[in-house]
Amino acid sequence: MKLNLREIIEIPGASLPFSCVLDPAELDFPGVERYSLPPTAEGVVRNAAGALELSGALKAEMTILCDRCVKTFPLKIELPLQVHLAADPGDDENPDIFPLEGDSLDLDELLTTCFVLNMDSKHLCNPDCLGLCPNCGADLNEGPCACGKQIDPRFAGLKQLLDI
């Protein structure tokens, strides 16, 4: 979605509200089963003394796989948006400033970038998730597996000394 900023670029103090829903098919995250609420953003672009600033919030609800036990769980995300916009980001390409395309802003690209950069690289159903047993694959959150405590093969000779 292109947001035309021509109306507010020349008028300090002017603002332009926006609302946008991202296409979940464009967001390819490993582990996301489905989106119950696709990423939705609402906010406003303001001209603060000639500097354009986008502010608002990005929300999403999804069902995702735990990276340790591979069970699905619901995840709600609410990200605050605070992005500086510029027609000419300068020679040094400041990563804190998002470039405009003429007088318009590619809102889908900006919101997708914000969403992707703020997603966690690891998702856990709870912080204390024990995961799966590496030997038998049992879910250790449900209790200990039948494998028992495995001894590192490098210490097998020491175990023989303890068994005397």
Side-chain angles (χ1 to χ4, degrees):
M1 172 181 158
K2 295 280 186 183
L3 189 62
N4 188 355
L5 300 175
R6 187 172 313 158
E7 303 167 9
I8 66 167
I9 286 180
E10 300 296 326
I11 305 170
S15 63
L16 181 65
F18 69 88
S19 179
C20 181
V21 177
L22 295 177
D23 182 10
E26 298 290 322
L27 303 169
D28 186 24
F29 283 107
V32 175
E33 292 280 310
R34 69 179 187 285
Y35 289 91
S36 51
L37 172 68
T40 306
E42 291 183 355
V44 65
V45 178
R46 286 191 180 86
N47 183 339
L52 296 178
E53 182 177 278
L54 179 141
S55 60
L58 180 64
K59 299 177 185 178
E61 293 179 15
M62 60 195 88
T63 302
I64 196 161
L65 289 172
C66 176
D67 286 329
R68 287 189 186 157
C69 68
V70 197
K71 287 185 180 176
T72 59
F73 67 97
L75 179 65
K76 291 182 182 182
I77 295 176
E78 186 166 341
L79 306 170
L81 296 172
Q82 194 75 26
V83 181
H84 299 284
L85 308 171
D88 181 22
D91 296 332
D92 55 335
E93 302 253 348
N94 187 343
D96 296 331
I97 298 176
F98 197 85
L100 296 175
E101 297 171 2
D103 290 342
S104 64
L105 170 66
D106 187 351
L107 203 52
D108 289 333
E109 180 183 349
L110 179 129
L111 295 174
T112 300
T113 301
C114 290
F115 186 70
V116 168
L117 291 177
N118 285 294
M119 281 289 285
D120 291 332
S121 60
K122 185 177 231 176
H123 296 98
L124 301 178
C125 57
N126 68 60
D128 299 328
C129 179
L130 298 174
L132 303 175
C133 173
N135 295 323
C136 67
D139 187 353
L140 298 175
N141 295 313
E142 296 173 0
C145 64
C147 294
K149 189 173 182 180
Q150 298 295 317
I151 297 175
D152 188 329
R154 296 173 290 183
F155 298 119
L158 293 175
K159 182 178 178 342
Q160 291 173 359
L161 292 173
L162 295 174
D163 288 341
I164 297 177

